[in-house]
């Protein structure tokens, strides 16, 4: 059964767009990625008791690298209201459904504007909301998100095919395995800026947060936005509430369990991704990713920019956090 999310009235939040974050080392380096698994997990129907546990070593890097190649190498630039975006969304939806997730399309309107110097038209965009049928009203749940859109001139391999790619690898691994609480995956549309003010960003995550019921808000145990996670040798873990963010602390603890090095961010609080839509609404949200790179928001943001080992590092953190 496909679960429908009811929209509730909500005001626009004050937000900022994707930005650069300079890493500050926090943990010691560790070994690089392990080899991918040789077979895909089989989805476990809701209510089945024998699901094996989730572990970081189960991530298949081939799933992530194939997604980067398809989204950035074949589809290319995909602003949130463009035909290319909708082709990308249909492809990602097919991948999620193929891994056994129940996918709901959440449509929303995005205004016209200027995105990184190029005019973009108004129109409908879409979020993809996926779960395994086990999210229950009032029970704790976790959310992993990544934005699918790009600025008009960029193929968007690092920003943000990398985040979507790790989300798909998580979807593949977690489909037939147990997690500590139910997990929902959300692919956000129209994250990239369409103007110069704080109100011109993060349209998809704002629409999603506005649609959450009071019960869903109270029971959300943590949200992580995967945004630019394929560059560097350590994974930036960024919070918006310094010293008060239990989700960030739990994410860094998961990184230590997975033996993956993390870094901090020079921007504090960090408001440069879809997690900020959650934080501004009083919900727990953090970001993984944001290592600076030369191809940012440019035609040079192609699949060769992305390091498969960094995708695996990010995925291992996330699997340890969800387990």
């Amino acid at each position: 059964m496909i679960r429908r999310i009811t929209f509730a009235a909500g005001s626009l939040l004050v937000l900022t767009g994707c930005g650069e974050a300079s890493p500050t080392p926090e943990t010691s380096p560790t070994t690089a990625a392990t080899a991918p698994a040789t077979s895909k997990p089989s989805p476990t129907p809701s209510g089945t008791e024998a699901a094996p546990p989730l572990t970081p070593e189960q991530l298949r890097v081939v799933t992530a690298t194939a997604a980067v190649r398809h989204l950035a190498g074949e589809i290319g630039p995909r602003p949130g209201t463009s035909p290319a975006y909708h082709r990308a969304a249909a492809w990602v939806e097919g991948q999620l459904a193929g891994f056994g997730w129940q996918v709901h399309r959440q449509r929303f309107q995005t205004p016209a504007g200027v995105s990184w110097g190029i005019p973009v038209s108004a129109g409908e965009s879409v979020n993809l909301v996926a779960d395994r049928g086990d999210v229950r009203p009032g029970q704790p749940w976790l959310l992993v998100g990544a934005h699918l859109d790009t600025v008009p001139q960029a193929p968007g391999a690092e920003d943000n095919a990398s985040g979507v790619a790790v989300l798909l690898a998580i979807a593949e691994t977690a489909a037939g395995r147990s997690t500590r609480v139910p997990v929902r995956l959300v692919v956000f549309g129209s994250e990239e800026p369409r103007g110069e003010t704080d109100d011109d960003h993060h349209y998809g995550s704002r629409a999603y947060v506005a649609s959450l019921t009071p019960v869903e808000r109270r029971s959300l145990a943590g949200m992580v936005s995967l945004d630019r996670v394929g560059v560097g040798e350590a994974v930036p873990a960024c919070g918006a509430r310094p010293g008060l963010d239990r989700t960030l602390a739990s994410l860094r603890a998961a990184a230590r369990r997975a033996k993956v090095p993390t870094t901090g961010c020079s921007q504090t609080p960090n408001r440069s991704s879809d997690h900020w839509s959650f934080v501004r609404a009083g919900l727990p949200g953090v970001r993984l990713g944001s290592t600076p790179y030369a191809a940012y928001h440019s035609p040079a943001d192609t699949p060769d920019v992305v390091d498969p080992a960094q995708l695996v590092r990010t995925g291992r953190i996330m699997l340890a956090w969800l387990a």
Side-chain angles (χ1 to χ4, degrees), residues 16-22 116 147 159 191-193 201-202 227-228 238 265-267 270-273 287 289-293 296-297:
T16 58
C18 279
E20 301 289 348
S22 299
W116 218 249
H147 77 86
D159 190 13
E191 186 270 351
E192 294 291 359
H201 306 261
H202 306 162
D227 195 346
R228 293 171 38 202
C238 315
C265 298
S266 60
Q267 182 188 16
N270 184 277
R271 301 177 294 185
S272 301
S273 188
R287 172 182 181 172
S290 73
T291 301
Y293 68 116
Y296 177 68
H297 280 190

Side-chain angles (χ1 to χ4, degrees), residues 259-283:
K259 297 186 171 78
V260 175
T262 62
T263 68
C265 298
S266 60
Q267 182 188 16
T268 303
N270 184 277
R271 301 177 294 185
S272 301
S273 188
D274 287 308
H275 69 294
W276 185 237
S277 298
F278 291 78
V279 174
R280 287 301 301 266
L283 301 173

Side-chain angles (χ1 to χ4, degrees), residues 31-44:
T31 57
T34 58
T38 56
S39 61
K40 298 181 181 180
S42 299
T44 300

Side-chain angles (χ1 to χ4, degrees), residues 133-304:
D134 55 352
V135 177
R136 299 284 184 263
Q139 298 300 311
W141 58 289
L142 298 170
L143 189 150
V144 180
H147 77 86
L148 179 59
D149 63 308
T150 69
V151 294
Q153 63 268 56
E158 171 66 347
D159 190 13
N160 185 40
S162 65
V164 175
V166 172
L167 183 146
L168 288 175
I170 292 167
E172 179 184 41
T173 305
R177 296 181 172 91
S178 61
T179 53
R180 57 188 169 100
V181 296
V183 175
R184 180 170 292 162
L185 307 175
V186 184
V187 177
F188 295 114
S190 296
E191 186 270 351
E192 294 291 359
R194 292 185 166 226
E196 297 182 357
T197 76
D198 287 341
D199 289 332
D200 299 322
H201 306 261
H202 306 162
Y203 297 97
S205 55
R206 288 153 68 183
Y208 179 78
V209 169
S211 77
L212 291 173
T213 67
V215 171
E216 288 173 318
R217 290 169 184 252
R218 287 195 301 270
S219 56
L220 178 61
M223 179 272 181
V224 175
S225 176
L226 302 172
D227 195 346
R228 293 171 38 202
V229 296
V231 170
E233 296 181 353
V235 181
C238 315
R241 297 178 293 188
L244 300 174
D245 201 321
R246 289 183 294 177
T247 302
L248 181 58
S250 70
L251 198 63
R252 288 176 173 161
R256 290 191 292 271
R257 293 194 301 273
K259 297 186 171 78
V260 175
T262 62
T263 68
C265 298
S266 60
Q267 182 188 16
T268 303
N270 184 277
R271 301 177 294 185
S272 301
S273 188
D274 287 308
H275 69 294
W276 185 237
S277 298
F278 291 78
V279 174
R280 287 301 301 266
L283 301 173
V286 299
R287 172 182 181 172
L288 276 188
S290 73
T291 301
Y293 68 116
Y296 177 68
H297 280 190
S298 81
D301 192 4
T302 53
D304 58 293

Side-chain angles (χ1 to χ4, degrees), residues 75-88 121-125 149-150 190 194:
I75 294 179
R78 46 194 184 278
T81 58
S82 66
Y85 177 82
H86 288 284
R87 289 197 301 273
S121 60
E124 183 179 85
S125 190
D149 63 308
T150 69
S190 296
R194 292 185 166 226

Side-chain angles (χ1 to χ4, degrees), residues 99-118:
F99 295 144
W101 292 71
Q102 301 172 14
V103 185
H104 161 61
R105 282 188 164 226
Q106 183 186 50
R107 294 175 173 83
F108 61 93
Q109 294 298 313
T110 306
V114 177
S115 183
W116 218 249
I118 298 178

